[in-house]
């Protein structure tokens, strides 16, 4: 059993008037345009928008990997200035070190902080949280795509992040594995209570997991609309309320995304 000593942390996140641009071929490429968005402690926020609008750019700013041109990003009132294990980022590609076992990959963060010894229990907990205990001594090459992504989640969770940043974490998985992992992310969030930002192209996924869905415009990203999802969990993808919300979000994306890659319109049932 996972022990209950685990710190359950969540953080207030404030994004205030953030503008970002990149220098590209001698001119400036505007990517984020005066974005203001707050997340309450423990809130699950989904971010959807046309491909290339700036979603990953926003997560990188929250992770502290880049700095904005203008505006501020704060976590519990403290400006984000550099990466921190407290703000973990999980990508579409699990990026595990192939020469390390699953356990050794999960131990990377504590090891880098010189806290390997006192983190042993937490490492085992993180493995258990993602159901990888039996594969702790396996090599990444021996894992399925879903298992590798679980290992990447464990590597983030081992640090007890107060903010979990998920950049299309299930984007490369088959539909069935994806559904299983959606439920697992939901249950991890319910147990650990981090504040979550999930970038996804799957509107069903956004609706299944989040408290609010933020719909962005094409680049430079502006907030098109923020939609509260006041449906009890677990959610029924076939309920009229769910379907109405999905149509509303897809409608917004259709309006905004002309000429861009479109998020998948999944009409199949997810239950
Ligand atoms: N470091 C960088 N230098 C120059 N341009 C960049 C850089 N990072 C991102 N961009 C550009 O910024 C824009 C937004 O990129 P970003 O990766 O944030 O989009 P996205 O919304 O995550 O797209 P997708 O849904 O396809 O993942 C793109 O036009 C991209 O080419
Ligand atoms: Mg992206």
């Amino acid at each position: 059993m996972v022990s209950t000593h685990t710190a359950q942390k969540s953080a207030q996140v404030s994004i205030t008037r953030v503008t970002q641009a990149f220098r590209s071929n001698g001119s400036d490429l505007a990517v984020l345009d005066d974005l203001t968005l707050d997340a309450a402690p423990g809130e699950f926020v989904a971010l959807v928008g046309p491909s290339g609008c700036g979603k990953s750019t926003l997560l990188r700013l929250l992770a502290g990997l880049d700095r904005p041109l203008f505006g501020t990003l704060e976590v519990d009132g403290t400006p984000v200035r550099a990466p921190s294990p407290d703000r973990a980022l999980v990508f579409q590609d699990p990026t595990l070190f192939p020469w390390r076992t699953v356990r050794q990959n999960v131990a990377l963060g504590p090891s880098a902080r010189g806290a390997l010894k006192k983190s042993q229990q937490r490492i085992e907990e993180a493995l258990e949280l993602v159901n990888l205990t039996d594969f702790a001594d396996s090599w990444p090459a021996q894992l399925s795509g879903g298992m590798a992504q679980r290992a990447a989640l464990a590597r983030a969770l081992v640090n007890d992040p107060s903010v979990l940043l998920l950049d299309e974490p299930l984007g490369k998985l088959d539909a069935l594995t994806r559904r299983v992992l959606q439920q697992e992310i939901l249950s991890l969030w319910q147990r650990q209570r981090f504040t979550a930002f999930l970038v996804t192209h799957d509107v069903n996924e956004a609706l299944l997991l989040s408290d609010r869905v933020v719909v962005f415009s094409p680049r430079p990203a502006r907030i098109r609309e923020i939609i509260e999802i006041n449906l009890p969990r677990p959610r029924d993808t076939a309920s009229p309320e769910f379907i109405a919300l999905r149509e509303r979000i897809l409608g917004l994306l259709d309006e905004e995304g002309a000429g861009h890659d479109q998020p998948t319109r999944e009409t199949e049932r997810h239950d």
Side-chain angles (χ1 to χ4, degrees), residues 107-127:
L108 274 171
S111 172
R113 289 199 307 279
L116 194 53
K117 264 226 167 87
K118 67 172 196 209
S119 302
Q120 291 303 328
Q121 192 189 345
R122 182 59 191 157
I123 291 165
E124 298 311 313
E125 283 173 3
L127 287 163

Side-chain angles (χ1 to χ4, degrees), residues 180-247:
V180 172
L181 273 165
Q182 284 165 354
Q183 293 315 311
E184 290 187 5
I185 288 175
L186 194 57
S187 107
L188 287 171
W189 170 72
Q190 285 167 334
R191 288 163 79 166
Q192 304 282 296
R193 281 292 160 193
F194 42 76
T195 306
F197 286 85
L198 168 73
V199 170
T200 180
H201 281 278
D202 179 344
V203 174
N204 266 345
E205 183 169 291
L207 286 169
L208 276 170
L209 299 180
S210 73
D211 296 311
R212 280 189 300 160
V213 178
V214 179
V215 182
F216 289 118
S217 70
R219 183 179 60 75
R222 297 188 188 98
I223 293 175
R224 176 81 169 82
E225 201 157 318
I226 298 180
I227 295 158
E228 303 260 350
I229 315 301
N230 291 314
L231 301 176
R233 296 179 179 91
R235 292 175 178 158
D236 176 6
T237 55
S239 74
E241 297 86 352
F242 193 100
I243 291 168
L245 284 165
R246 183 170 62 213
E247 290 307 310

Side-chain angles (χ1 to χ4, degrees), residues 52 54-57 167-168 199 201:
K55 303 176 297 295
S56 296
T57 300
D167 196 351
E168 301 187 53
V199 170
H201 281 278

